[in-house]
Amino acid sequence: MPPDFDWTCIDTVLLDMDGTLLDLEFDSYFWLQHVPQTLSERRGIPLAQAQALIEAQYQAVQHTLSWYCFDYWSTTLDLDIHSMTHALGHRASVREDTLPFLEALRAQGKRTILLTNAHPHSLAVKMAHTGLDAHLDLLLSTHTFGYPKEDQRLWQAVQQHTGFDPARTLFVDDGEPILDAAKQFGIRYCLGVENPDSSMARKTFLRHPSMHDYRTLLPAAPRP
């Protein structure tokens, strides 16, 4: 479904990080390849066994803050997730359509807020390697508030913290359950990202409009 929102009715743009502003390929490689391989080597078990063990652990906490928490996974897997992320930080990359979009939003006076479920360490590493923070007005990790974006309490806390008006806000994310939560809270415009990971096929969104290139959405300059 193509997006159908009116930029004159939008003041604030809330943006996810991984898969939305950054290529999700980094996280796919890290969590689906690097972590299982490292666990296999550390425990001396077959890679397939390590993958199955980790998949079961992932499923057990999906859509909770633990799923995104480096401290949780460091303890659960007995791996130093912080240092592993730091070592691979150079793999983080910005989507090619991200900066033109953010620059257009800034030129139009829209407030841009990064709102990610990523752990603060992941956020810091990725900003250090991409410089994306220079193009945003505010960076927020949901860990600061104690709830993931799937939880209505997170949206209440973020609204109190930033003062955004849900009726005049666009939220962009690559996860449909998260878009569902935003819509439930009352955010008027919710948009899915069809191609969050450059190494994988496009996604299909069933309940929200979606796009694959921000440059098709650039807000037009106001007429004099």
Side-chain angles (χ1 to χ4, degrees):
M1 295 184 292
D4 59 350
F5 46 78
D6 181 353
W7 282 109
T8 64
C9 297
I10 296 172
D11 298 326
T12 301
V13 183
L14 298 174
L15 298 142
D16 174 46
M17 180 172 68
D18 300 312
T20 298
L21 297 179
L22 301 184
D23 191 339
L24 193 61
E25 188 276 337
F26 174 97
D27 297 86
S28 297
Y29 169 77
F30 185 85
W31 292 106
L32 302 180
Q33 296 184 49
H34 186 59
V35 170
Q37 183 65 49
T38 303
L39 188 69
S40 170
E41 294 170 357
R42 295 282 177 85
R43 296 191 182 182
I45 60 177
L47 178 58
Q49 183 180 343
Q51 291 171 326
L53 185 156
I54 291 173
E55 178 62 23
Q57 295 283 359
Y58 287 171
Q59 292 296 327
V61 294
Q62 190 174 20
H63 300 308
T64 71
L65 200 60
S66 292
W67 198 85
Y68 306 97
C69 183
F70 279 17
D71 303 314
Y72 174 84
W73 290 115
S74 294
T75 299
T76 299
L77 301 176
D78 193 23
L79 297 175
D80 189 347
I81 300 298
H82 292 76
S83 64
M84 290 168 64
T85 300
H86 182 77
L88 290 176
H90 62 278
R91 289 183 63 112
S93 63
V94 179
R95 291 171 53 101
E96 66 176 20
D97 55 342
T98 290
L99 295 187
F101 184 54
L102 294 180
E103 290 167 2
L105 294 178
R106 178 162 286 180
Q108 294 302 309
K110 311 299 183 185
R111 181 169 59 155
T112 53
I113 300 175
L114 184 151
L115 179 62
T116 179
N117 277 336
H119 189 275
H121 180 75
S122 178
L123 174 59
V125 167
K126 289 170 179 174
M127 293 303 104
H129 283 277
T130 65
L132 186 62
D133 51 324
H135 302 273
L136 295 154
D137 296 322
L138 182 64
L139 309 179
L140 298 176
S141 167
T142 60
H143 292 253
T144 303
F145 303 97
Y147 309 104
K149 285 182 282 188
E150 292 88 333
D151 194 313
Q152 291 298 300
R153 291 171 292 184
L154 181 279
W155 295 103
Q156 294 165 8
V158 170
Q159 185 184 29
Q160 291 174 2
H161 182 73
T162 65
F164 77 85
D165 178 356
R168 298 188 61 81
T169 295
L170 164 66
F171 172 58
V172 189
D173 200 286
D174 64 304
E176 191 143 47
I178 294 176
L179 293 171
D180 291 341
K183 180 63 73 173
Q184 181 183 346
F185 181 70
I187 292 181
R188 182 177 180 184
Y189 302 104
C190 293
L191 180 67
V193 180
E194 298 168 3
N195 55 339
D197 187 327
S198 63
S199 67
M200 297 185 182
R202 287 188 191 177
K203 300 172 59 173
T204 299
F205 287 79
L206 302 178
R207 299 177 298 279
H208 300 278
S210 60
M211 61 84 217
H212 65 276
D213 191 324
Y214 291 120
R215 288 165 295 200
T216 64
L217 306 177
L218 298 180
R223 295 180 179 178

